[in-house]
Amino acid sequence: MFTIRKAAVSDAKNLGMIHALSWKKAYEGIVPKEILHKITPEKRAQFFKKALTLQWEEDYLLTVDDLPAGLLCLGKARDEDCKDTAGEIWGIYLHPDFYGQGYGRVLFEYGLSELQKRGYESVLLWVLKDNIHAIQFYEYIGFCKEGAEKDLFIGKPLTEVRYSMNL
């Protein structure tokens, strides 16, 4: 049994745990170990507490049998070159204990449905170019690479690529 609900400030601890553990697993071999080691549930919980208090972002919490299992962040597309009709999946993160059970897709479908209800005609997302597993998942769902890229430095130079899909 699973539920998805809009996250509250009181969920910050669970969101921080999910986010930190997901990053450590999903970005292993992509982001340097020293950087991943610094990402802790406590630090991420502080971020989520502030972000939810100040309404910087819109987060959703997935629970499975009342256990915190996943995190979805969505909203209006943040890129300046996007139309007002574009929404964005800012992030999807799963607790590693829930990998491979279909919950990533559940969160994705929920996010797409939410954006569609709000009248968005398309959705975009950003993914690290080296995150082959995530790229395969997004392409399987129907996202296409657009060509837009951003250079990042997360302990080493990395590139994010933008994918989009019509709703």
Side-chain angles (χ1 to χ4, degrees):
M1 173 76 180
F2 72 86
T3 60
I4 300 173
R5 64 173 174 75
K6 194 166 185 179
V9 175
S10 60
D11 294 312
K13 183 177 177 181
N14 286 331
L15 298 175
M17 176 196 53
I18 292 165
H19 193 260
L21 295 178
S22 179
W23 259 69
K24 289 175 187 293
K25 180 76 173 173
Y27 297 132
E28 187 176 27
I30 298 171
V31 173
K33 288 179 189 177
E34 316 77 75
I35 301 298
L36 293 177
H37 181 71
K38 292 178 185 177
I39 298 171
T40 66
E42 296 78 18
K43 287 180 186 175
R44 297 311 302 154
Q46 289 173 0
F47 167 82
F48 283 107
K49 183 176 181 181
K50 189 172 185 176
L52 290 167
T53 299
L54 298 175
Q55 299 179 355
W56 288 343
E57 59 185 43
E58 185 177 343
D59 297 311
Y60 292 82
L61 177 65
L62 164 73
T63 58
V64 177
D65 297 328
D66 296 321
L67 296 172
L71 154 64
L72 165 70
C73 185
L74 56 77
K76 182 181 181 308
R78 298 172 287 178
D79 298 328
E80 290 180 15
D81 66 330
C82 291
K83 297 178 182 177
D84 287 340
T85 57
E88 182 176 352
I89 299 286
W90 294 10
I92 289 186
Y93 300 96
L94 285 178
H95 187 293
D97 288 351
F98 295 93
Y99 278 19
Q101 299 175 42
Y103 293 114
R105 186 171 186 110
V106 165
L107 275 173
F108 226 98
E109 288 174 358
Y110 184 88
L112 295 176
S113 175
E114 278 297 308
L115 292 171
Q116 194 167 33
K117 284 179 197 173
R118 297 172 191 191
Y120 291 111
E121 296 172 5
S122 64
V123 61
L124 63 91
L125 58 83
W126 288 91
V127 61
L128 288 174
K129 195 176 204 173
D130 295 338
N131 193 345
I132 303 304
H133 180 74
I135 288 171
Q136 289 172 339
F137 173 71
Y138 299 142
E139 289 177 348
Y140 177 77
I141 288 178
F143 279 81
C144 297
K145 185 177 177 180
E146 285 189 352
E149 294 188 356
K150 290 192 259 187
D151 292 324
L152 306 171
F153 188 85
I154 307 176
K156 71 176 189 180
L158 294 168
T159 301
E160 272 189 314
V161 292
R162 189 167 74 187
Y163 279 73
S164 65
M165 177 174 85
N166 289 329
L167 290 174

